[in-house]
Amino acid sequence: MEKPKFLEKYDLDILKIDDFLPNMPLSEHTNLHDLMEDHLILFLASTHCDLCEKTLEVIEEYTKENQDLNIVVLLDSDPAGIEVLINHFKNRIQLYLVPPHIMNKYLKMRFLPVGFAVDSSMKILTTHSVQDMNSFRDLVEPLQIHLSR
């Protein structure tokens, strides 16, 4: 059955598994691809979003005990809000202030929060929202399997 024309605009052209993570500028001297190590766990989030707060709590919980993952959070926030989070997380994750329209332009962001597990070739292995430790583990598991090969 063909989709009605008026619903076509709701088709989401989002980044999917097996897509390659686009590069984007994060600062004057840093691009997203510069942050790649042998993997990258990327989150798009906002301090203006209740679900995003839960995602940040899960990242907090994980990184208190484990600092084995290269975690980057692109955050829609005000400068004061991101400074609080940078001071809170210290060196456990990398945080960058990125407005939603820039996330959308480069990363096809259509909703927040969303996470991506990316291998060293910039290929997306998994992507979904993270709201608890089980969903965090589901996000990173294919990457951990990939790294153990």
Side-chain angles (χ1 to χ4, degrees), residues 12-15 22-24 44 74 76 98-112 114 116:
L12 296 180
D13 180 28
I14 60 175
L15 293 175
N23 201 6
M24 65 179 282
L44 310 181
L74 305 185
D76 168 37
V98 180
H101 72 278
I102 299 296
M103 288 185 214
N104 185 28
K105 176 180 177 182
Y106 288 95
L107 302 174
K108 304 177 186 178
M109 179 275 305
R110 298 292 190 265
F111 54 88
L112 293 174
V114 65
F116 301 93

Side-chain angles (χ1 to χ4, degrees), residues 20 33 36-40 117-125 143 146-147:
F20 287 91
H33 285 188
M36 176 54 71
E37 294 174 2
D38 58 353
H39 71 280
L40 176 67
V118 183
D119 71 12
S120 60
S121 71
M122 297 295 175
K123 186 177 178 180
I124 297 170
L125 300 179
L143 180 63
H146 179 78
L147 291 173

Side-chain angles (χ1 to χ4, degrees), residues 58-114:
V58 172
I59 295 169
E60 160 75 0
E61 181 183 341
Y62 182 85
T63 61
K64 274 187 173 179
E65 302 296 323
N66 306 285
Q67 295 182 24
D68 57 336
L69 294 175
N70 178 25
I71 299 175
V72 174
V73 178
L74 305 185
L75 192 67
D76 168 37
S77 182
D78 57 87
I82 197 163
E83 283 304 316
V84 167
L85 289 172
I86 287 171
N87 289 330
H88 178 77
F89 279 102
K90 305 276 188 241
N91 295 322
R92 294 180 286 153
I93 67 172
Q94 297 179 69
L95 282 150
Y96 290 88
L97 185 62
V98 180
H101 72 278
I102 299 296
M103 288 185 214
N104 185 28
K105 176 180 177 182
Y106 288 95
L107 302 174
K108 304 177 186 178
M109 179 275 305
R110 298 292 190 265
F111 54 88
L112 293 174
V114 65

